[in-house]
Amino acid sequence: MDTPHPEPADRLPVPPGKSGCPINLTVELLGDRWSLVVLRDVMFGGHRHFRELLGHSVEGIASNILAARLTKLVGAGLLTRHDDPSHRQKIEYRLTEAAIELVPLLTQLGAWGARWLPTTPELAIRAQLLARGGPEMGERFMAELRATHLEGRPLPSDGVLAELTRAYERAVAEG
Amino acid sequence: MDTPHPEPADRLPVPPGKSGCPINLTVELLGDRWSLVVLRDVMFGGHRHFRELLGHSVEGIASNILAARLTKLVGAGLLTRHDDPSHRQKIEYRLTEAAIELVPLLTQLGAWGARWLPTTPELAIRAQLLARGGPEMGERFMAELRATHLEGRPLPSDGVLAELTRAYERAVAEG
DNA sequence: ATCATCCGATTGCATTCAACAACCGGTGGT
DNA sequence: ACCACCGGTTGTTGAATGCAATCGGATGAT
């Protein structure tokens, strides 16, 4: 659980004998079976609690893996832990700015998968819609995420996420 | 080594009991410690042979892992194997169109890493340059890769890759 | 006060994956 | 004949992952 720093400012802490290549370091941090899937569920699914993430994910992550990933992501500065007023031992996980800036990456990931892999059509629609929206749509989405995760404001019902969700539900209804 | 099909056209082979989410399927395929690093070395390093990939990578992949990844990537339709005329048992690995279309993803990966992780400054420069070039630069780079990997033409000395390499070497010399 | 339920995890166990080092047979140049 | 090079393979070890069962504390209804 050695964590890279979450601060973009300080350069040159320099890795010991490792690589230092941006692609390699990112893969080292996020290149496993679950990290990005968990972040996807927090971003697009709006799930902020352990049980939500455990159950509502389509893939069925094991609870020990989820716990390990959450700890790692918090340590890496991609998630923050907060007490939930409604239940003393309930914990809320929120995205940090670093995680929110993964939106373009997740977008590309989804777009590529929708293009080259045998995806479920209804699920592919969201990815395609977001990719087709371009950087402008990505920025709007990131602004929404900042508002809800960083400033605690409610999600707009006319926002990007709402639009994506509606498109998905429409596809499910039609299909 | 069960491989998803490399054809974008045929939809609806539908995964058996799995997920179907574009992000999840892409993570399932590429979300490990080495797959993207190998592709990075083929794309940016121009390495097409086993020994090159084994030695010239900064990270030092083990030979058995490299062999396994190459087989997997070929099976997944991201690389193709070709005999090398210069040596009967030399094998050349070339990028496919599917792999070339990972350029935007690799770009985002590098940009995010350069922004949020303790990268080596000289290596970060390439990532930042490519990201700053936007989709237009990405397209030019992809065109270069198609020319060399798909059509067998030589790399232009005034191309994107040459420019990135020069920027890197300049940074090394100055630093 | 009791009890079922929900909360974020933890434990134990089996399987898979990655790292490391040694080695293989075929090839090509000298 | 020699030897460096070619794309791998083999064997071993420790780490990561997947799965099922379970934990102790908190909560709410009865």
Side-chain angles (χ1 to χ4, degrees):
Chain A
M1 216 69 41
D2 54 338
T3 105
H5 61 143
E7 286 308 314
D10 48 276
R11 281 283 146 269
L12 311 194
V14 194
K18 289 295 185 165
S19 165
C21 163
I23 293 182
N24 177 63
L25 285 172
T26 308
V27 166
E28 241 174 46
L29 178 64
L30 301 173
D32 67 79
R33 182 68 185 81
W34 290 111
S35 297
L36 288 170
V37 171
V38 168
L39 288 172
R40 173 204 69 182
D41 284 345
V42 180
M43 276 190 196
F44 297 92
H47 305 136
R48 301 189 178 195
H49 301 283
F50 191 93
R51 294 279 169 176
E52 283 180 304
L53 291 165
L54 191 62
H56 293 22
S57 117
V58 199
E59 290 88 11
I61 186 174
S63 60
N64 56 343
I65 307 287
L66 176 57
R69 287 299 166 277
L70 289 173
T71 323
K72 190 187 84 173
L73 291 172
V74 168
L78 294 177
L79 294 176
T80 49
R81 288 168 60 106
H82 302 269
D83 293 340
D84 189 316
S86 76
H87 191 304
R88 198 171 309 175
Q89 70 183 133
K90 205 168 177 179
I91 289 171
E92 189 184 350
Y93 292 93
R94 295 187 201 150
L95 299 170
T96 65
E97 174 64 22
I100 292 172
E101 290 188 15
L102 284 172
V103 163
L105 179 60
L106 273 296
T107 303
Q108 290 297 332
L109 217 57
W112 190 89
R115 167 109 169 77
W116 294 99
L117 301 177
T119 54
T120 307
E122 307 91 55
L123 289 170
I125 284 181
R126 283 195 302 196
Q128 291 161 340
L129 213 59
L130 186 58
R132 212 165 295 156
E136 185 268 340
M137 192 178 199
E139 273 304 333
R140 274 199 296 141
F141 184 37
M142 288 165 69
E144 279 176 38
L145 291 174
R146 287 189 189 100
T148 50
H149 286 262
L150 267 31
E151 301 162 29
R153 290 195 300 227
L155 267 174
S157 61
D158 61 342
V160 172
L161 188 55
E163 185 181 337
L164 293 177
T165 308
R166 274 198 301 272
Y168 166 71
E169 284 165 356
R170 203 179 316 131
V172 170
E174 287 175 3
Chain B
M1 217 68 43
D2 53 337
T3 107
H5 60 140
E7 286 307 314
D10 48 277
R11 281 283 147 270
L12 310 195
V14 195
K18 290 296 187 165
S19 167
C21 164
I23 293 181
N24 176 64
L25 285 171
T26 308
V27 165
E28 239 173 50
L29 178 62
L30 301 172
D32 65 78
R33 181 68 184 81
W34 291 111
S35 297
L36 288 170
V37 172
V38 168
L39 289 172
R40 174 205 68 182
D41 284 345
V42 180
M43 276 191 195
F44 296 92
H47 305 137
R48 301 189 180 196
H49 301 283
F50 190 91
R51 294 279 171 175
E52 283 180 304
L53 291 164
L54 191 62
H56 292 23
S57 118
V58 200
E59 289 88 11
I61 185 174
S63 60
N64 55 347
I65 307 287
L66 175 57
R69 286 301 167 277
L70 289 172
T71 317
K72 188 187 87 173
L73 291 172
V74 168
L78 293 177
L79 295 176
T80 49
R81 287 168 60 104
H82 302 268
D83 292 340
D84 189 316
S86 76
H87 192 302
R88 198 172 309 174
Q89 70 183 134
K90 205 167 176 180
I91 289 172
E92 190 185 350
Y93 291 94
R94 296 191 200 144
L95 299 170
T96 63
E97 173 64 21
I100 292 173
E101 291 189 14
L102 284 172
V103 163
L105 179 60
L106 271 297
T107 303
Q108 290 298 331
L109 217 56
W112 191 89
R115 168 108 169 77
W116 292 100
L117 300 176
T119 55
T120 306
E122 306 92 55
L123 289 169
I125 284 180
R126 283 197 302 197
Q128 291 161 340
L129 214 58
L130 187 58
R132 214 167 294 155
E136 185 268 340
M137 192 178 200
E139 274 303 334
R140 274 198 299 141
F141 184 37
M142 289 165 69
E144 279 176 39
L145 291 175
R146 286 189 190 101
T148 51
H149 285 262
L150 267 30
E151 302 162 28
R153 290 194 301 225
L155 267 174
S157 62
D158 61 341
V160 172
L161 188 54
E163 184 182 337
L164 293 177
T165 307
R166 275 198 301 272
Y168 166 71
E169 283 166 358
R170 202 178 317 131
V172 170
E174 288 175 2

